Each structure stands twice: as structure tokens, then as C-alpha cells.
Amino acid sequence: MASGAGDRVVRIGGATASFSDTALSVPQLLAGGRLDYLIFDYLAEGSMGLFGRMQAANPAAGFGTDFLTVHVGPHLRDIAARGVRVVANAGGVNPAGLAAALEAAIAEQGLTLRVAHVDGDDLQPLLPTLRSQGLPDMFTGAPLPDHVISANAYLGAFPIAAALAAGADIVVTGRVVDSALALGPLIHEFGWTADQHDLLAAGTLAGHLLECGAQVTGGTFTDWRDVPDWAEIGYPIGECHADGTLVITKPEGTGGLVSVGTVAEQLLYEVGDPADYVVADVRCDFAGVRLEQVGPDRVRVSGARGHPPTPRYKTCITFDQGWRCTAYQPIIGEEAAAKAARQADALFARARRLLSAAGLPDFTRTETVMIGGEASFGAHGRYTDTRELICKLVADHPSRTGAEIFAREQWAAISGMAVGTSINLATTVLPLTGIHLGLVDKGRVTPRMTIGGHGVDLPAVAGQEDDPPAPQPGEAAVRAAPATFGSASVDLVRLAWVRSGDKGHLFNVAVIARDPAWLPALVAALTPEAVAGWYAHLGPDGQPPRVERHFAPGLNALNFVVHDALTGGINASTRLDAAAKGMGQMLLRFPVPLAPDLLDRLPPLSRRAPPSQAAKED
């Protein structure tokens, strides 16, 4: 633990939201961040399969090469000169390989930075046992699949803290909880222990806010017109205190925006129940978290609570599901959607004839997605008579040959089918990767930290079985608050900020009241049944999806979990928005009845609510 930890401020910069994030964040944060730590989140459920396939092709691969060539390698000398320590999960499925390559790059530049790596998350050796004993998907109940590409447990932050205590300047990991990238440094700097659950929850929250880069500094914000200078958007800095409080900010003079709205949206991004956010080291309660604007582009975050961790790690298993052809056909002219639908049916039929002639099985799935006619909005689409669209055609097949048959045959449409069909924008044939999310007992997994060729096993705290935390008093008040319906309704976007994100086969939508006075009206209008009806077109087998509603009274927010609406997950979903980034946008015009006294509190119409969307009479 660093001396004087009680009054220190540890500054952590969040440089990446994914392995493909910008090359500009690192020089910006190094130059203007006055950082102690720089963290990089490279991994997502979708990327584990990619890294697994890379390693299958080349055993020395399987990690994020951009870490060496884009994000850290070119800046090693500056990192060393400034004394900034780096933590990243860029190791993918081969953290030892990345550590070795990084050590070679450091030596080549004549530097003396020490590198540690954390592994032990690989579950491949356990697969026969897990298969025999059962490892069902935690959301769908599906059994453990065959043809596994990668299998990993989400480790916690204490091995990262151990690496820092051992003198590491750079720590690279495999699959750890994303927020552990910040929690690990805070455990090390402030000496937090495994039984200080409130502090561990606060550090987890710091990591959750920083792990997606510019998403907390104005990126993907509902009020996007209020965010200046996307070209120079600032990347986030967390000013972290030993008592668990932090301030989210960004380098001075950069673009972007840090406000209560931007931070609240990121806080609920990809969250289920805010009162029971479970990670490896702690069971977090974020429902009572408070946000306070304490200056321009400075938001203070406080109020996280923690409970003992569970006895299990979350797992992510990716598996081979065959091959997918995806083709994008522009269709122009009158009745574009009708022409596209007929053309798609004809192309799938022709390709099936060719499969049969070749002695191949049928497609495992075919899908037609209309891009440009608001088909993704279901019954709430406005421009259904569009005269131009992109018809996305998806054909899945067990074999590459079957997918390639469709890839070739769909070209026939330009001369033999719908008038106005133009040259394809893209046609791809790629391996299809499925995702299986489960839980495994911590006793089966041994995290390991290695530095200087010496490895140390670091078993996690066992955890305990507990019921979910009871609702806080503030939540009970929100549930019970009466809502007086008036004679007019307004679009949700005038009353709330909205953010959505994917998690496996489901997505979440957070609705955060701009004014606490509007929260009872939101609770009354946005029932689980009403939200399920709004997303009815996304449900399985033509039925509305199952929707859960959770409360975050500290944020004046509701959080909805929409189940089975992203079939296949981010890798295999056929939807236009497989990452669920736009699912919240679909909800913005949900009508919310307001009493006359609340209508009087509405600010004047702005760019977020066009004049045509003024209060509507019921």
C-alpha cells in the first residue's frame, strides 16, 4: 500500500472500450491526465471467440496485438518517463504470450519496465468434467455446447493488486471482470481487504464507469447535440479516494461532456439489477449511488454498497456454430421493402435447390433485415414506405460450402429480380461463433500471477450464498409513489435520458429521470408489460419478450432487462443492432401521461424534441 493512502487521490485514465478503440486516447491522457494508472479494456463476450480462433490458427497468438502496435508499444518511453502504471486485459486467451512480446519490445527500446501477467482463467482443461456434471447457460438453460473455441472464467482484482505489489509497471491479464482493471490498482494503493465490501463495490463502480472509455464523457449520450467536439472528445479520468468516492472528469481543453446525465447513463450500461450487480470480488448495490455536479466536467460519485461475493465465477464459453453468409443489397425505387422481401424469399429458395442438388443439408437459419425502412422499430416505425433501403440477407449453414453457395447465388438478383437492385455493398462468408454464459465454483479455478518468471497461485475468497439484498427505503418509496395521470402525454425523451446495452441473449434499457418530479409518472407508465409490448417485435416466436424492471432511486432511474431479444448474442445475432446500442433509442417516443402541474415544469421544446412532438392530447 502506498504511504499516505488515507489522503491520496489516485488518478486512473480509461483509454479503451475495446481492442479496436482509438489510437488518440493514450497520447491525450498521458499529456493531460496527470495519471497514476492507465487502464485498457480489450475484452468482451464477442472478442473471446475471435482470440480463441486466432490461437487455434497460431498457438503463439490469441492476444490483442494493437496493445503492442497502437495503444502501448509506441508510448512505452513516455509511460516510463511519467511513471504511469498500466493495467490491461489485452492478454485475451494468451496473456503469457502478450507479456513475453511486451518484454521484448521494452528491451528493444532499452527500458526497464517490469511486466506481470495474470492467468488461470482458462477452463478448457475442465471441460470434460464440466460437461459431465452440467454447466447450463445462466440465462437460457441450454447445455454446454460442443466444438468449444474458448472457455474462460471472469477472475477478480486481487491478482492484479498482487502483481502491482510485486513491482509490476505493466500488468496484462486474460479474462478478468472489466471493472477489476481499476479495482486492482485501488486495492493496491489503499490497502483495501477482501472483507471491506463497501469499498470493493465503490472500486468496482469506478472501474465500471471508466472501462468503456468515452461512453462516460459524452459518447453515445442521449442529448448528443449537447456534447461538443466529438473529434477531440476527452477520455475519462477517475479521481479515486480511499473512502471509495471518486470524481469523473477528463483532460482540460478536450471535447466531450461530463455531466450527471453522461455518468448516470454509463453507470447503468449493461447492468441488470442495480441493487445486485455481481462480480468476482463483491456483490454490489448501486441502487443508492448519488451523482453530484461539482464543477464543469466534474461529477462526484458516492454511495456504493457491497455484500460478500458469491462462491462462483461467471464463465464465457464460445463455440463454433458453422458458417454465415451475409449480403447487403441496395434496393431503390417504389415499394422498396416489398420488393426486397420478395427478392429475399426467392434467393433463399434458389439457394436451397442448389444445396439439395449438391447433397448438402438445409440452412440452419435464414433472415432478412431491412435497413432504412425502420423495420427495427416494429409497429412504431414511421417510414415504412421508404423508396430506398439496404436488404441484409443472412444464411447460416453447417459448412462453408453451403454458405458460399448462397454468397454466389444472391448475385443473380441484380439482373433477374427486383427493379432497382444495385451492386452489393458487401458479401461475406465467415465462421459463426456462439456464446454460452455460465457459473463455475471458485474452488475449481486457481488464478495465477507471474512476474520475472516466478508464478504465484492466488485462490479467491470462497464467497457465500446469500439472497439478493432487500430493497432500500428509497426504492420502496419510488414503488409506492402515486402518479396522477393528466390529459396529455409527452415523449419519454423529454423526461429522461436513456441508455441500452447487450449482455448475451438479452439487453438492458436504463431510463433516468431528468427531474425527480417526473419519476412517479415514469414508474406508472413504463410497466414491464408496457415495455414488453413496445419491444414485441423483438420477442421469440412472435411473442413479446420477458421484461424485468429494477429501480435505482439514487439516480432517479428505472432499469429494464429485456430477455431473449438478441438471439445468438453479439456474435451470432442477425439483428441490425446486435450490440443493442440503439434499443434505448427505440423507446424515446414512448408516450408518458403527465398531470397538468408536471406539464408546467417541462422546459421549452429543444432539439431533442421536435415541434411535432409537443404534448399530445389523450
Side-chain angles (χ1 to χ4, degrees):
M1 179 177 68
S3 62
D7 54 9
R8 279 200 64 206
V9 176
V10 175
R11 292 172 60 90
I12 302 176
T16 61
S18 69
F19 66 85
S20 58
D21 210 340
T22 179
L24 298 174
S25 60
V26 175
Q28 179 200 95
L29 286 166
L30 288 175
R34 306 189 308 280
L35 300 179
D36 299 296
Y37 290 89
L38 190 57
I39 63 174
F40 298 82
D41 184 8
Y42 263 47
L43 301 184
E45 291 157 354
S47 57
M48 296 306 293
L50 173 63
F51 287 126
R53 289 185 186 276
M54 289 169 55
Q55 190 178 48
N58 176 5
F63 55 80
T65 56
D66 280 8
F67 193 73
L68 299 169
T69 60
V70 177
H71 290 132
V72 170
H75 305 288
L76 283 170
R77 197 170 299 280
D78 197 10
I79 287 168
R82 295 177 185 273
V84 176
R85 302 174 90 173
V86 172
V87 182
N89 59 12
V93 298
N94 187 11
L98 175 57
L102 187 58
E103 287 172 335
I106 290 168
E108 185 177 335
Q109 295 188 36
L111 303 173
T112 57
L113 297 170
R114 299 189 73 196
V115 178
H117 71 269
V118 173
D119 58 12
D121 57 301
D122 184 9
L123 299 177
Q124 295 265 21
L126 293 178
L127 284 178
T129 301
L130 294 176
R131 192 181 305 282
S132 65
Q133 296 180 354
L135 182 64
D137 187 282
M138 61 193 295
F139 297 113
T140 68
L144 186 63
D146 296 323
H147 310 298
V148 169
I149 301 167
S150 66
N152 300 84
Y154 286 67
L155 304 182
F158 281 91
I160 296 172
L164 296 169
D169 300 296
I170 302 176
V171 184
V172 294
T173 76
R175 180 69 273 190
V176 297
V177 177
D178 297 344
S179 55
L181 302 174
L183 178 58
L186 296 178
I187 290 170
H188 168 65
E189 293 290 341
F190 296 137
W192 295 345
T193 57
D195 59 353
Q196 291 181 297
H197 302 126
D198 285 352
L199 293 175
L200 296 180
T204 297
L205 180 54
H208 179 68
L209 291 171
L210 294 170
E211 72 189 41
C212 287
Q215 278 194 184
V216 75
T217 55
T220 74
F221 185 40
T222 301
D223 299 344
W224 58 274
R225 292 184 183 274
D226 295 342
V227 180
D229 200 359
W230 282 346
E232 298 294 337
I233 195 166
Y235 274 69
I237 299 166
E239 298 176 352
C240 304
H241 299 257
D243 65 357
T245 60
L246 76 148
V247 171
I248 295 293
T249 186
K250 63 184 183 68
E252 293 182 10
T254 60
L257 174 70
V258 180
S259 69
V260 167
T262 69
V263 176
E265 283 196 10
Q266 177 58 27
L267 197 157
L268 293 175
Y269 175 68
E270 292 186 344
V271 167
D273 183 354
D276 192 24
Y277 185 74
V278 180
V279 294
D281 298 311
V282 63
R283 199 166 184 168
C284 305
D285 182 353
F286 298 153
V289 168
R290 301 285 179 175
L291 305 179
E292 180 186 1
Q293 194 83 42
V294 294
D297 293 315
R298 293 180 63 81
V299 171
R300 184 175 185 269
V301 185
S302 63
R305 297 169 60 205
H307 303 276
T310 73
R312 291 173 292 277
Y313 286 121
K314 178 184 172 183
T315 66
C316 178
I317 295 172
T318 65
F319 58 98
D320 197 330
Q321 281 192 301
W323 291 81
R324 169 169 290 176
C325 171
T326 306
Y328 296 87
Q329 297 183 338
I331 311 250
I332 303 161
E334 303 295 326
E335 299 183 275
K339 289 188 294 189
R342 181 180 173 187
Q343 182 158 293
D345 289 344
L347 288 171
F348 291 137
R350 290 165 70 107
R352 285 188 169 100
R353 286 176 55 193
L354 293 170
L355 290 176
S356 179
L360 295 173
D362 194 5
F363 297 113
T364 52
R365 183 174 189 180
T366 58
E367 192 84 27
T368 305
V369 181
M370 308 293 186
I371 304 173
E374 295 201 6
S376 348
F377 284 77
H380 310 291
R382 292 180 178 173
Y383 304 107
T384 55
D385 293 330
T386 183
R387 291 183 296 177
E388 62 181 21
L389 57 75
I390 308 299
C391 182
K392 176 184 175 183
L393 301 172
V394 179
D396 296 344
H397 197 271
S399 71
R400 180 171 185 166
T401 299
E404 288 177 338
I405 283 175
F406 182 77
R408 186 186 188 287
E409 186 60 24
Q410 57 84 33
W411 282 101
I414 194 170
S415 58
M417 294 190 186
V419 60
T421 301
S422 191
I423 297 174
N424 275 26
L425 301 180
T427 304
T428 60
V429 175
L430 296 171
L432 184 59
T433 302
I435 296 174
H436 180 97
L437 302 175
L439 298 169
V440 65
D441 290 341
K442 287 179 177 175
R444 294 180 176 274
V445 180
T446 303
R448 184 172 51 253
M449 185 277 293
T450 301
I451 185 169
H454 177 64
V456 180
D457 289 345
L458 299 165
V461 173
Q464 63 188 56
E465 297 283 5
D466 272 326
D467 293 330
Q472 296 188 44
E475 178 179 327
V478 170
R479 290 177 185 269
T484 304
F485 286 96
S487 59
S489 62
V490 298
D491 289 335
L492 176 63
V493 68
R494 295 190 66 191
L495 307 177
W497 299 296
V498 181
R499 172 74 63 90
S500 59
D502 75 291
K503 189 58 60 180
H505 302 276
L506 55 82
F507 64 87
N508 85 295
V509 182
V511 177
I512 305 145
R514 298 174 185 270
D515 184 329
W518 297 329
L519 186 57
L522 297 177
V523 172
L526 291 164
T527 64
E529 295 76 17
V531 172
W534 197 264
Y535 291 119
H537 59 294
L538 302 180
D541 302 320
Q543 299 298 312
R546 179 169 65 89
V547 173
E548 299 172 8
R549 183 173 72 172
H550 303 285
F551 293 82
L555 302 173
N556 303 305
L558 306 174
N559 193 51
F560 298 91
V561 179
V562 183
H563 289 265
D564 299 322
L566 285 177
T567 302
I570 192 170
N571 281 335
S573 174
T574 59
R575 300 202 184 282
L576 173 62
D577 182 20
K581 294 286 191 178
M583 297 301 182
Q585 293 290 298
M586 295 180 191
L587 200 63
L588 293 185
R589 300 302 175 188
F590 187 100
V592 180
L594 283 187
D597 60 320
L598 293 180
L599 285 172
D600 293 341
R601 293 178 66 113
L602 282 173
L605 286 169
S606 67
R607 291 170 295 188
R608 73 175 65 99
S612 61
Q613 299 303 311
K616 299 178 280 292
E617 295 296 323
D618 287 347

